Amino acid sequence: MEKGTYFMSHAEFTPTTNEFIGTAAGHTIGMVIPNIDPEVRTLLKIPEQYSSLGILTSRTGAAAQAFSVDEAAKACNVELLIFELPRDTEGYSGHGNLIVLGAYDVSDARRAVEVALTLIDEKAERIYINEVGHMEMHVTANAGPVLHQIFDAPLGKAFGFICAGPAGIAIVAADTAVKSSPVDIVWYGTPSINLSHTNEVIIGVSGDYGAVKKAVDTAYEKASALIEVFGQKPASILHFTQNPDL
């Protein structure tokens, strides 16, 4: 990979293993376990009814993966069993993620991971970085069971995800966002609350779709302007290239 190029295409390498499904943006890898080992089942507290697991894990991003899995779960017979935000982001100020889905049949697990990987490549457009900071902003018109389980998003209602780091920048962006539009804060995370001591703040907002979108757009503009004081304007991880002069 050339220096400064952040995103690696998943066409570059294909391992020869049955567990491997594919990769996506944010250095996300998708895998399945057709028949989970009893000892691993016990360690991870996997319910007995699920014989197969779908797994997605990444170095960068959380909401791109969570929103994608939410859509995949609507279309496939799977249930979210584990969602964690390990401190990572490959040197930036945020997190990666670990997502484990339970399925009665490996075909359901495989299909859910395939759908999620395709959507992650689309939604990663809204993960933004520069030389120092990062942002992640997403909106859905119809929150499903995965977003409800992770972020307390009201089922069937519009939900917006606002994240930025360093952490203080997100507080300013969130304050501006909720002042700009009639939305409710339904979930939040700070370095020591709901997160893994990552240098960021996250809020989840709900309301009418137009109001939620306006709040997220407003947060994007505010956070982008503040993060830009550290270097270039934050760009999507799909397009970001390090400025050699910074």
Side-chain angles (χ1 to χ4, degrees):
M1 186 188 307
E2 294 181 6
K3 183 177 180 181
T5 301
Y6 191 82
F7 172 62
M8 177 182 287
S9 168
H10 52 270
E12 294 180 23
F13 175 70
T14 302
T16 55
T17 170
N18 292 332
E19 291 84 3
F20 174 76
I21 303 300
T23 63
H27 290 139
T28 303
I29 182 171
M31 299 163 285
V32 295
I33 297 178
N35 293 290
I36 186 168
D37 177 83
E39 189 172 4
V40 175
R41 176 190 296 279
T42 299
L43 288 172
L44 296 180
K45 298 181 173 62
I46 303 299
E48 288 294 331
Q49 64 265 34
Y50 299 118
S51 62
S52 301
L53 301 180
I55 300 171
L56 294 121
T57 189
S58 79
R59 297 293 311 277
T60 299
Q65 289 82 359
F67 277 60
S68 297
V69 170
D70 189 60
E71 293 300 319
K74 293 174 186 176
C76 307
N77 189 22
V78 295
E79 181 180 347
L80 177 69
L81 302 180
I82 297 172
F83 181 86
E84 296 184 11
L85 296 173
R87 187 167 63 180
D88 195 332
T89 310
E90 301 188 82
Y92 295 86
S93 51
H95 47 252
N97 65 63
L98 168 64
I99 299 171
V100 178
L101 304 170
Y104 299 102
D105 186 89
V106 66
S107 62
D108 292 321
R110 181 179 296 275
R111 180 57 181 156
V113 171
E114 289 171 345
V115 171
L117 288 171
T118 298
L119 293 171
I120 290 166
D121 273 341
E122 299 172 7
K123 296 183 186 300
E125 186 75 37
R126 294 179 286 282
I127 305 173
Y128 309 93
I129 58 175
N130 76 352
E131 292 74 13
V132 174
H134 79 280
M135 310 182 303
E136 190 169 3
M137 309 281 177
H138 300 274
V139 177
T140 178
N142 178 23
V146 169
L147 292 178
H148 175 70
Q149 187 174 339
I150 298 171
F151 299 120
D152 294 329
L155 286 169
K157 294 193 65 176
F159 175 71
F161 180 95
I162 295 168
C163 170
I169 288 175
I171 295 175
V172 175
D175 179 75
T176 305
V178 297
K179 286 175 178 175
S180 74
S181 192
V183 294
D184 297 318
I185 297 176
V186 296
W187 192 92
Y188 76 101
T190 70
S192 63
I193 300 172
N194 291 326
L195 301 178
S196 302
H197 293 279
T198 46
N199 187 8
E200 62 192 341
V201 165
I202 298 171
I203 67 166
V205 298
S206 184
D208 292 337
Y209 177 77
V212 170
K213 187 176 187 306
K214 180 180 178 182
V216 173
D217 289 347
T218 300
Y220 165 83
E221 294 296 337
K222 180 64 67 173
S224 180
L226 292 170
I227 293 172
E228 193 173 356
V229 305
F230 293 122
Q232 59 187 302
K233 181 178 177 64
S236 166
I237 63 169
L238 302 183
H239 313 297
F240 176 77
T241 301
Q242 182 81 34
N243 185 337
D245 298 325
L246 294 174

